[in-house]
Amino acid sequence: MDKIQQLADLKKRMEEDKDLPLRDTATQLVFGEGNPDSKIYFLGEAPGFHEDKHGRPFIGMAGKLLTQTLEEIGLKREAVYISNVVRFRPPENRDPSPEELTAFAPYIDEEIAVINPKIIVTLGRFSMGKFIPDVKISQVHGQPRTVNYQGKEYLLVPMYHPAAALRATSMMNQFKKDFQVLKTLLEAPTPTKNVEQKAANSQDTQQLILL
Ligand code: URA
């Protein structure tokens, strides 16, 4: 099975899994979308009103900001893969509960294994908590680190959620700055231990070699 078939199969199994929470209050499952061969995997929180209505991740205001900020660092939305830790909209967009996160986790893990990215960008504290549970997002956002997850190494880049960026100018500034870090990572020939420092220093614009 190729990646597209594997993802279609995963989506079907999620749609049929009657034990998944939030199903009864949501309109539909919102699966990940984008380039299955992308080296970057964006992981958000949960669908909101627009995502629930159209069945696509990050297409409301927060999604528009994400798409625009990707373009600002030279990435087309279609070139990357975008997903969420929870796939049905929580009522009134409330925070997902620990039980809900746990219920969706095996599917997210499977999706990550299929996409097999080099870089995982978490958007907000809930997706960040999946990889680095005991940290504060305000202390680690924009700081790449290597994580070993399910026996594989990834470069994890925790970012603020774009919805948080929309709520405060200071957050917006940080959000945009953190994307510049991501841009530098993509330009680095191979991610090294120094990558954070390079990211902080580099202003170069080069080929995005990881895509
Ligand atoms: N916020 C998220 O975390 N995900 C979406 O898909 C939309 C808004």
Side-chain angles (χ1 to χ4, degrees):
M1 264 207 283
D2 67 17
K3 283 187 178 187
I4 292 176
Q5 289 169 323
Q6 284 177 277
L7 291 169
D9 174 69
L10 181 61
K11 182 178 179 192
K12 187 162 178 281
R13 278 186 282 126
M14 291 186 86
E15 282 169 341
E16 290 171 355
D17 183 347
K18 300 289 175 251
D19 292 334
L20 277 177
L22 300 168
R23 156 187 301 285
D24 294 343
T25 48
T27 308
Q28 59 188 312
L29 180 85
V30 178
F31 198 70
E33 72 173 27
N35 172 11
D37 292 318
S38 175
K39 299 291 176 277
I40 319 174
Y41 176 87
F42 286 85
L43 192 56
E45 183 180 317
F49 174 83
H50 297 283
E51 291 78 17
D52 177 68
K53 190 166 170 204
H54 297 284
R56 295 181 56 206
F58 280 102
I59 56 162
M61 290 290 283
K64 285 195 173 60
L65 175 62
L66 176 63
T67 304
Q68 179 200 325
T69 315
L70 281 169
E71 282 172 6
E72 284 168 11
I73 63 160
L75 287 175
K76 287 213 178 321
R77 177 186 165 108
E78 310 79 67
V80 302
Y81 196 87
I82 301 175
S83 200
N84 283 305
V85 280
V86 164
R87 304 297 173 86
F88 288 113
R89 182 192 182 199
E92 313 294 326
N93 298 344
R94 64 155 170 76
D95 287 349
S97 70
E99 293 74 24
E100 287 159 359
L101 290 164
T102 301
F104 284 96
Y107 292 107
I108 315 307
D109 292 346
E110 207 176 320
E111 185 180 62
I112 293 171
V114 172
I115 304 290
N116 192 23
K118 286 196 166 36
I119 300 177
I120 297 177
V121 179
T122 53
L123 299 166
R125 64 198 161 100
F126 291 103
S127 53
M128 180 189 77
K130 181 172 177 64
F131 305 96
I132 41 173
D134 298 318
V135 299
K136 282 195 162 158
I137 195 164
S138 57
Q139 287 168 357
V140 300
H141 69 91
Q143 297 169 20
R145 68 175 72 199
T146 304
V147 291
N148 193 304
Y149 190 71
Q150 304 183 105
K152 227 195 131 241
E153 279 202 349
Y154 300 93
L155 197 61
L156 182 78
V157 189
M159 302 245 196
Y160 281 123
H161 194 284
L166 287 169
R167 284 195 289 268
T169 311
S170 59
M171 289 280 193
M172 180 66 87
N173 293 341
Q174 285 300 335
F175 184 72
K176 299 265 169 166
K177 231 169 140 181
D178 292 348
F179 265 73
Q180 291 303 316
V181 173
L182 183 60
K183 178 168 186 266
T184 311
L185 286 176
L186 296 174
E187 293 164 355
T190 39
T192 67
K193 284 211 167 110
N194 269 340
V195 91
E196 201 179 318
Q197 194 53 43
K198 276 197 212 151
N201 294 340
S202 171
Q203 297 294 322
D204 299 348
T205 42
Q206 297 168 16
Q207 188 76 21
L208 298 176
I209 59 147
L210 283 174
L211 289 178

